[in-house]
């Protein structure tokens, strides 16, 4: 009995071997749209592949499957926010920046909301990255509190939660925003106006004794 021929290494479909980085970028962009629209649980890899215009097998080849693709996407979710928080800008201005994230990248902002609404996404890279980012933000709020931006009797951790919830309002409560303003909650004008009001409100929290 003849020996079986050795298996060749697993290969990506031929049509995509020449430009793997482009293919991965297409898959990540498509995944952002799919996860942003439906959340992790309801998202389908077949839809992601169709959006990207590639073979579904490439998701397993490049990312190890749906979870790996999700983790690769969320691993960079906070890069934009980290870059903003590292700049020496007034806290109210950094919150205004967060408010505008829904316009800069609508799908990624919705993905952030889905993560918190369902609380069922993979707790690997994404959650660890989120935890580290949030811990640094709590320390930043605490430092701004010590500088007099907020009264001393407020808890920095819960204060951060309040700010993040408020910054997400135009995306999380579009019907409410539309009803009270009569305008498109995702329009640049409404988001800019809301961000301005939130920034002013935060400015009013400054400790009078340290002004």
């Amino acid at each position: 009995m003849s020996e079986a021929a050795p298996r060749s290494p697993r290969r990506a479909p031929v049509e995509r071997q020449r430009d793997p980085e482009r293919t991965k970028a297409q898959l990540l962009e498509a995944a952002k749209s799919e996860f942003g629209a439906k959340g992790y649980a309801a998202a389908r890899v077949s839809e992601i592949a169709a959006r990207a215009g590639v073979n579904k097998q490439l998701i397993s080849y490049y990312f190890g499957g749906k979870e790996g693709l999700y983790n690769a996407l969320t691993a960079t979710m906070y890069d934009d926010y980290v870059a903003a928080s590292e700049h020496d800008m007034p806290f109210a201005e950094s919150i205004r920046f967060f408010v505008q994230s829904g316009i800069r990248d609508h799908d990624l902002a919705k993905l952030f909301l889905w993560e918190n609404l369902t609380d069922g996404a993979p707790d690997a890279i994404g959650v660890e990255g989120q935890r580290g980012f949030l811990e640094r933000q709590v320390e930043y709020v605490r430092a701004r509190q010590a500088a007099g931006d907020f009264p001393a009797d407020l808890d920095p951790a819960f204060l951060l939660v309040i700010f993040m919830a408020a910054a997400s309002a135009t995306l999380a409560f579009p019907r409410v925003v539309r009803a009270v303003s009569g305008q498109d909650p995702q329009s640049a004008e409404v988001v800019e106006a809301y961000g301005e009001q939130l920034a002013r409100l935060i400015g009013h929290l400054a400790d009078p004794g340290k002004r």
Side-chain angles (χ1 to χ4, degrees), residues 92 148-151 196-208 211:
D149 286 358
F150 316 114
E196 171 64 24
Q197 291 299 306
L198 184 55
R200 290 185 184 185
L201 178 61
I202 292 172
H204 289 313
L205 289 176
D207 188 341
R211 286 180 181 174

Side-chain angles (χ1 to χ4, degrees), residues 106-211:
H106 188 75
D107 290 329
L108 200 61
K110 289 183 67 176
L111 175 56
F112 172 78
L113 291 180
W114 271 116
E115 277 202 329
N116 287 277
L117 284 172
T118 59
D119 199 22
D123 59 348
I125 300 173
V127 170
E128 288 303 317
Q130 184 182 76
R131 184 177 295 113
F133 168 78
L134 293 175
E135 287 173 351
R136 291 192 297 273
Q137 298 315 299
V138 170
E139 291 306 311
Y140 176 61
V141 173
R142 183 174 286 112
R144 298 314 311 163
Q145 184 180 43
D149 286 358
F150 316 114
D153 61 346
L154 297 177
D155 183 284
F158 288 125
L159 196 55
L160 178 65
V161 173
I162 292 169
F163 290 149
M164 295 189 75
S168 303
T170 57
L171 193 66
F173 302 106
R175 293 188 179 185
V176 174
V177 175
R178 186 179 296 109
V180 300
S181 70
Q183 301 178 67
D184 177 4
Q186 295 307 309
S187 69
E189 294 77 16
V190 168
V191 173
E192 177 63 31
Y194 178 76
E196 171 64 24
Q197 291 299 306
L198 184 55
R200 290 185 184 185
L201 178 61
I202 292 172
H204 289 313
L205 289 176
D207 188 341
K210 293 187 177 182
R211 286 180 181 174

Side-chain angles (χ1 to χ4, degrees), residues 1-209:
M1 191 171 177
S2 60
E3 294 184 2
R7 288 185 177 182
S8 59
R10 188 178 184 185
R11 295 180 179 177
V14 174
E15 69 273 13
R16 292 296 173 184
Q17 284 188 26
R18 295 181 180 177
D19 199 351
E21 293 307 314
R22 179 185 175 190
T23 300
K24 287 189 282 187
Q26 289 174 324
L27 283 168
L28 286 169
E29 193 64 27
K32 185 167 60 175
S33 297
E34 178 74 2
F35 288 130
K38 302 175 183 178
Y40 178 79
R44 296 289 177 265
V45 292
S46 58
E47 291 295 322
I48 294 171
R51 285 175 185 263
V54 302
N55 191 309
K56 182 174 69 172
Q57 294 176 344
L58 287 170
I59 294 177
S60 294
Y61 179 80
Y62 286 124
F63 300 101
K66 179 180 178 181
E67 183 173 335
L69 177 60
Y70 184 86
N71 284 331
L73 177 62
T74 57
T76 61
M77 182 186 295
Y78 298 96
D79 288 353
D80 197 23
Y81 300 145
V82 170
S85 63
E86 287 177 349
H87 284 76
D88 187 17
M89 66 173 69
F91 188 78
E93 292 304 309
S94 66
I95 291 297
R96 191 204 303 266
F97 178 87
F98 295 148
V99 171
Q100 294 171 343
S101 64
I103 290 180
R104 290 194 306 275
D105 197 328
H106 188 75
D107 290 329
L108 200 61
K110 289 183 67 176
L111 175 56
F112 172 78
L113 291 180
W114 271 116
E115 277 202 329
N116 287 277
L117 284 172
T118 59
D119 199 22
D123 59 348
I125 300 173
V127 170
E128 288 303 317
Q130 184 182 76
R131 184 177 295 113
F133 168 78
L134 293 175
E135 287 173 351
R136 291 192 297 273
Q137 298 315 299
V138 170
E139 291 306 311
Y140 176 61
V141 173
R142 183 174 286 112
R144 298 314 311 163
Q145 184 180 43
D149 286 358
F150 316 114
D153 61 346
L154 297 177
D155 183 284
F158 288 125
L159 196 55
L160 178 65
V161 173
I162 292 169
F163 290 149
M164 295 189 75
S168 303
T170 57
L171 193 66
F173 302 106
R175 293 188 179 185
V176 174
V177 175
R178 186 179 296 109
V180 300
S181 70
Q183 301 178 67
D184 177 4
Q186 295 307 309
S187 69
E189 294 77 16
V190 168
V191 173
E192 177 63 31
Y194 178 76
E196 171 64 24
Q197 291 299 306
L198 184 55
R200 290 185 184 185
L201 178 61
I202 292 172
H204 289 313
L205 289 176
D207 188 341

